[in-house]
């Protein structure tokens, strides 16, 4: 079972109160971008065995979006953080580096 | 609005009741207004407190008056409740208070159904715990707590105004479903003794 803490309302609940929103920190490539960038934005997703960054929505709770960092193998949640950011907070990355030395996710390490 | 005449509003299930080890009863209709805006602003505080006479609730709390409530719904949303007959007046007051377009007050009375669960405190908590992924122990969910969550397959919100009584609201379109799952959870032969 995955237990997530919503940073918007402070509830700690299991995942059925939430809804996954796919990979975090995607950079949009729209009109005018190269075919390769657009394809990457639209289709290319990480599918890691280990550390992963995702978007989640507290769908039956406060209704707000947030980010979560977790391990896809152990389901350990390293932390959740605001949706209003384009990268994970540094203190959370420190926590993950300590727990999963040498981890790499896209260009985050 | 008060001069518009028509059939009196009817609740979703005509006051359906189920007597199990906890009594499940559809509550009479109450006025419910959703307020959106900056919760820390004086405009929001003035609007919400003026129409209820209750204090502003803290995060995930409900503030209870004699027949009015303010519930904390999300970081930018409150739900105020009042007697049905006073909804129109409250909306008028709010329209006068919310002069900034970043604030809104919307009547959701007819989009909601409400239920009251009564019985032994531990058993009322147990019925909710059967359906929602929430720790309903008195320590984790004391009086004044307010929780929006999932009740089996649909969203709902509830609070316990006093020991042995829970109030629950859900979307009116799923009132029949919510009544049936609450009734099933409260069947006489279904006591688990979770909080005994
Ligand atoms: Zn939340």
């Amino acid at each position: 079972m995955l237990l997530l803490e919503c940073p918007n309302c402070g509830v700690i609940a299991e995942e059925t109160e939430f809804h996954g929103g796919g990979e975090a920190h995607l950079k949009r490539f729209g009109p005018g971008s190269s075919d390769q960038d657009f394809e990457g934005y639209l289709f290319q997703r990480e599918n890691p065995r280990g550390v992963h960054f995702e978007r989640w929505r507290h769908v039956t709770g406060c209704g707000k979006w947030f980010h979560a960092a977790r391990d896809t193998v152990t389901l350990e949640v390293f932390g959740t953080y605001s949706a209003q950011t384009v990268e994970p907070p540094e203190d959370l990355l420190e926590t993950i580096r300590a727990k999963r030395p040498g981890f790499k996710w896209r260009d985050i390490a | 609005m008060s001069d518009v005449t028509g059939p009196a509003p009817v609740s979703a299930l005509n006051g359906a009741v189920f007597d199990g080890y906890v009594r499940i009863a559809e509550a009479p209709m109450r006025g419910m207004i959703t307020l959106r805006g900056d919760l820390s602003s004086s405009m929001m505080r003035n609007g919400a407190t003026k129409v209820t006479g209750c204090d502003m609730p803290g995060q995930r709390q409900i503030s209870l008056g004699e027949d009015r409530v303010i519930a904390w719904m999300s970081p930018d949303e409150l739900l105020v409740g009042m007697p049905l007959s006073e909804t129109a007046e409250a909306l008028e007051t709010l329209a006068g208070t919310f002069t900034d377009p970043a604030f809104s007050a919307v009547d959701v009375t007819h989009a909601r159904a409400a239920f009251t669960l009564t019985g032994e405190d531990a058993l009322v908590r147990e019925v909710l715990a059967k359906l929602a992924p929430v720790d309903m122990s008195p320590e984790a969910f004391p009086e004044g707590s307010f929780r929006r969550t999932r009740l089996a397959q649909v969203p709902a919100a509830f609070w316990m105004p006093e020991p042995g009584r829970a109030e629950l609201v859900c979307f009116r379109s799923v009132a029949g479903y919510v009544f049936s799952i609450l009734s099933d959870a409260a069947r006489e032969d279904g006591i688990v003794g979770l909080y005994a």
Side-chain angles (χ1 to χ4, degrees):
Chain A
M1 182 167 37
L2 193 56
L3 288 171
L4 295 169
E5 177 172 5
C6 173
N8 302 298
C9 71
V11 155
I12 299 170
E14 47 106 0
E15 64 187 282
T16 61
E17 201 173 291
F18 300 91
H19 194 273
E23 186 175 324
H25 308 306
L26 294 176
K27 182 171 187 291
R28 180 173 184 268
F29 287 92
S33 60
S34 71
D35 286 355
Q36 203 185 348
D37 282 345
F38 186 62
E39 185 210 13
Y41 162 63
L42 215 52
F43 300 114
Q44 303 300 328
R45 293 294 180 268
E46 295 298 297
N47 186 21
R49 188 170 179 277
V51 177
H52 195 26
F53 296 86
E54 296 171 308
R55 304 169 73 224
W56 283 83
R57 183 173 174 238
H58 195 183
V59 65
T60 62
C62 69
K64 304 296 184 194
W65 285 93
F66 60 94
H67 283 123
R70 68 180 181 98
D71 189 310
T72 58
V73 178
T74 63
L75 299 193
E76 175 178 3
V77 178
F78 302 115
T80 54
Y81 52 102
S82 168
Q84 280 74 39
T85 178
V86 294
E87 58 188 8
E90 189 51 37
D91 58 338
L92 177 61
L93 289 176
E94 281 300 329
T95 306
I96 300 171
R97 286 181 200 121
K99 290 184 168 179
R100 301 288 186 278
F103 92 90
K104 180 147 177 43
W105 185 88
R106 289 197 182 251
D107 51 5
I108 296 170
Chain B
M1 290 290 281
S2 55
D3 58 343
V4 176
T5 54
V10 179
S11 70
L13 304 176
N14 262 318
V17 174
F18 176 83
D19 276 305
Y21 71 85
V22 162
R23 183 181 171 90
I24 313 293
E26 193 204 6
M29 289 192 72
R30 294 172 48 78
M32 287 185 231
I33 302 172
T34 288
L35 309 183
R36 283 269 189 182
D38 179 354
L39 298 195
S40 64
S41 66
S42 56
M43 189 172 286
M44 179 58 78
R45 189 174 55 246
N46 288 344
T49 56
K50 215 186 287 179
V51 297
T52 58
C54 301
D55 296 330
M56 281 290 274
Q59 187 185 51
R60 299 200 315 279
Q61 300 283 304
I62 186 165
S63 170
L64 300 159
E66 201 169 308
D67 56 1
R68 284 149 207 263
V69 300
I70 309 178
W72 190 96
M73 299 290 277
S74 87
D76 63 355
E77 181 182 349
L78 299 175
L79 181 72
V80 293
M82 66 218 52
L84 183 63
S85 60
E86 291 167 40
T87 317
E89 193 191 322
L91 281 165
E92 236 166 84
T93 306
L94 288 163
T97 312
F98 287 178
T99 50
D100 181 333
F103 289 75
S104 70
V106 175
D107 184 4
V108 295
T109 304
H110 302 280
R112 301 284 181 273
F115 295 92
T116 302
L117 285 65
T118 45
E120 209 179 294
D121 190 60
L123 298 180
V124 171
R125 290 172 180 276
E126 178 181 302
V127 166
L128 288 172
K130 280 183 179 178
L131 298 166
V134 179
D135 182 351
M136 290 305 298
S137 66
E139 301 76 44
F141 198 86
E143 195 180 307
S145 300
F146 180 84
R147 180 66 183 259
R148 292 176 75 183
T149 181
R150 168 183 72 82
L151 210 67
Q153 298 186 44
V154 296
F158 50 73
W159 66 98
M160 297 195 68
E162 61 187 6
R165 183 159 70 96
E167 301 287 343
L168 183 148
V169 292
C170 64
F171 290 117
R172 179 169 174 135
S173 56
V174 293
Y177 172 76
V178 167
F179 181 70
S180 70
I181 56 174
L182 284 170
S183 302
D184 188 50
R187 264 171 29 188
E188 285 294 356
D189 57 357
I191 296 184
V192 176
L194 183 59
Y195 300 116

